[in-house]
């Protein structure tokens, strides 16, 4: 039997190149090799967006459209909405007894995220909610509800998988062998830099290229992208490794990358020409995705049917897990 993978994404915005090359491109390949569950993690998104439910609600469908457009195939994998699986919330409650507060605060992912929040909201402990500190527990429920064996994630998420493994071990040692211990699946993906040269492309950093950006917006963004600051005149030689335009050429230009690089170093290529070529390559890359997205934008009922179908399949699996868990904890009353 093929192994099960489970991974998730928070619906807080549309997909950008960082998501694509950093994660979701890989999901498309994984669905051919594994029984795949892709969770649209709206409950998790609410941990930091509880005051903005409209944003989360709208982005559930946007993320679904993006995922379908890049090739997530509902005939091969199961895409579902987290909040429609109440068993995840139920499991979270039972798992929360198996985790100490100290362990949660020591989780490097949580530590980093709390530090980031403090930098934004000031040093008030009150800004950190119970739900937020506890989201690794809920994520352990996400994974185990579907017997996830492999969890494709970026390196920043490894501490959450480790926390899940600890919960599973503790559960099994107290209540008997019930849950599967998952493993992280680190893929050959890369973290994608932003248009401003920042190490990370992110919505909140305002440096992202979205899969559904129009040609006009792409043109504006690429025309303003950071290039080697030592290059002042068109024919100055430059270092492509210091240039975001070359950086993105590497992602989407499969025809004359060597020429771009050598001409840049020699000084025989101006930045405007180089940017225009990148825009053309970028649009070539994005066109097929955008055409599919356009179809789904015009057929929201198709997207809804896919989500509903995936969610129903996911519900079945989670119900089975819940039965086993309740039996193990001896709360399977009258069943
Ligand atoms: N925390 C993940 C992120 O922010 C998203 C996520 C939610 C997830 N549930 C998951 C990832 C379960 C792996 C497994 O990227």
């Amino acid at each position: 039997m093929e192994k099960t993978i489970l991974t998730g994404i928070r619906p807080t915005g549309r997909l950008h190149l960082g998501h694509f090359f950093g994660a979701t491109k890989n999901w498309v390949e994984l669905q051919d090799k594994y029984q795949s569950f892709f969770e649209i993690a709206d409950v998790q998104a609410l941990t930091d967006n509880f005051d903005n439910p409209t944003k989360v609600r709208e982005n559930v469908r946007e993320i679904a459209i993006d995922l379908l457009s890049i090739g997530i195939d509902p005939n091969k994998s199961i895409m579902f909405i987290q909040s429609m699986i109440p068993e995840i919330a139920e499991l979270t409650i039972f798992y929360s007894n198996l985790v100490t507060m100290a362990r949660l605060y020591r989780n490097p992912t949580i530590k980093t995220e709390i530090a980031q929040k403090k930098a934004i909201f000031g040093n008030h402990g009150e800004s950190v909610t119970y739900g937020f500190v506890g989201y690794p527990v809920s994520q352990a429920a996400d994974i185990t509800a579907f017997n996830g064996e492999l969890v494709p994630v970026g390196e920043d998420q490894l501490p959450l998988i480790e926390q899940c493994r600890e919960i599973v071990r503790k559960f099994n040692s107290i209540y008997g062998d019930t849950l599967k211990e998952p493993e992280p699946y680190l893929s050959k993906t890369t973290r994608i830099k932003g248009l401003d040269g920042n190490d990370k492309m992110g919505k909140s950093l305002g440096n992202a290229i979205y899969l559904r950006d129009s040609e006009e917006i792409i043109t504006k963004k690429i025309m303003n992208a950071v290039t080697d600051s030592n290059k002042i005149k068109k024919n100055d030689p430059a270092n492509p490794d210091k240039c975001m335009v070359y950086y993105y050429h590497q992602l989407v230009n499969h025809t004359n990358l060597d020429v771009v690089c050598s001409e840049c170093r020699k000084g025989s290529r101006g930045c405007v020409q180089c940017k225009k070529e990148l825009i053309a390559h970028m649009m070539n890359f994005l066109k097929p995705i955008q055409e599919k997205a356009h179809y789904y934008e015009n057929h929201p009922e198709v997207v809804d049917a896919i989500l509903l179908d995936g969610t129903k399949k996911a519900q079945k699996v989670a119900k089975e897990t819940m039965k086993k868990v309740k039996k193990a904890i001896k709360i399977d009353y009258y069943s």
Side-chain angles (χ1 to χ4, degrees):
M1 261 241 311
E2 55 187 2
K3 284 200 171 179
T4 299
I5 68 163
L6 179 130
T7 190
I9 186 159
R10 298 179 180 207
T12 54
R14 292 181 175 192
L15 291 188
H16 53 61
L17 294 184
H19 297 118
F20 181 78
F21 288 105
T24 54
K25 174 180 190 246
N26 205 43
W27 298 5
V28 177
E29 288 164 28
L30 291 173
Q31 60 182 349
D32 288 324
K33 289 191 226 136
Y34 302 103
Q35 169 60 256
S36 308
F37 289 87
F38 300 118
E39 174 183 276
I40 303 185
D42 59 341
V43 177
Q44 193 178 107
L46 283 166
T47 59
D48 337 64
N49 295 279
F50 56 85
D51 51 355
N52 198 351
T54 308
K55 171 175 154 190
V56 175
R57 173 68 187 245
E58 285 172 354
N59 280 306
V60 168
R61 192 188 273 138
E62 296 303 329
I63 286 284
I65 290 177
D66 280 332
L67 289 176
L68 292 168
S69 304
I70 63 167
I72 294 299
D73 180 347
N75 294 314
K76 294 179 186 165
S77 56
I78 295 174
M79 181 165 69
F80 66 96
I81 301 175
Q82 184 186 19
S83 63
M84 291 180 74
I85 316 288
E87 287 79 8
I88 294 174
E90 238 180 309
L91 288 171
T92 303
I93 297 280
F94 299 126
Y95 295 171
S96 67
N97 295 328
L98 308 177
V99 183
T100 64
M101 290 307 289
R103 176 65 182 86
L104 285 171
Y105 278 121
R106 253 190 289 120
N107 183 313
T109 309
I110 293 295
K111 241 178 162 170
T112 312
E113 290 176 353
I114 288 179
Q116 285 164 354
K117 278 183 199 298
K118 285 191 174 158
I120 300 168
F121 301 115
N123 205 13
H124 304 298
E126 298 93 273
S127 64
V128 177
T129 63
Y130 163 62
F132 179 79
V133 180
Y135 96 76
V137 184
S138 164
Q139 188 156 316
D142 292 344
I143 296 165
T144 51
F146 308 98
N147 313 308
E149 294 171 279
L150 297 173
V151 187
V153 282
E155 278 194 29
D156 61 313
Q157 293 277 310
L158 287 180
L160 295 188
I161 312 301
E162 193 44 47
Q163 183 117 50
C164 175
R165 290 163 59 87
E166 283 176 34
I167 290 171
V168 168
R169 287 198 293 266
K170 194 152 183 195
F171 188 103
N172 288 344
S173 76
I174 297 171
Y175 304 116
D177 216 3
T178 313
L179 303 169
K180 252 185 205 150
E181 197 172 320
E183 278 172 45
Y185 184 101
L186 277 178
S187 45
K188 44 190 185 333
T189 51
T190 29
R191 168 171 280 198
I192 299 300
K193 295 184 188 182
L195 284 155
D196 55 357
N198 193 307
D199 264 352
K200 192 179 169 188
M201 178 177 278
K203 185 179 41 146
S204 52
L205 299 165
N207 63 4
I209 293 179
Y210 291 88
L211 299 181
R212 280 188 267 162
D213 274 347
S214 66
E215 181 155 6
E216 200 189 330
I217 290 182
I218 298 274
T219 302
K220 240 186 235 159
K221 286 181 175 175
I222 289 179
M223 282 301 179
N224 286 316
V226 168
T227 54
D228 181 355
S229 57
N230 287 325
K231 178 163 171 134
I232 314 226
K233 290 191 286 348
K234 186 177 154 196
N235 291 326
D236 288 343
N239 181 357
D241 299 329
K242 290 186 182 162
C243 175
M244 296 319 295
V245 177
Y246 179 67
Y247 180 83
Y248 297 126
H249 264 286
Q250 289 175 299
L251 296 178
V252 295
N253 175 351
H254 305 300
T255 52
N256 68 339
L257 197 57
D258 294 350
V259 178
V260 174
C261 184
S262 64
E263 287 184 353
C264 175
R265 285 190 196 281
K266 273 191 296 197
S268 61
R269 147 178 296 258
C271 290
V272 172
Q273 176 204 343
C274 194
K275 286 173 173 174
K276 284 193 173 146
E277 284 178 26
L278 174 61
I279 293 161
H281 285 297
M282 189 64 77
M283 288 320 296
N284 265 344
F285 162 71
L286 293 177
K287 271 265 158 60
I289 297 174
Q290 295 189 351
E291 274 163 19
K292 280 174 109 181
H294 193 65
Y295 167 79
Y296 289 115
E297 284 165 1
N298 289 322
H299 295 85
E301 73 287 355
V302 175
V303 181
D304 289 341
I306 290 170
L307 281 173
L308 194 56
D309 182 60
T311 299
K312 279 187 181 151
K313 289 177 181 153
Q315 278 166 346
K316 257 193 204 147
V317 181
K319 279 210 170 83
E320 284 307 307
T321 305
M322 204 63 231
K323 260 192 215 155
K324 284 189 220 155
V325 164
K326 286 198 164 167
K327 187 153 185 248
I329 313 180
K330 304 194 187 302
I331 52 171
D332 53 336
Y333 307 108
Y334 311 117
S335 58

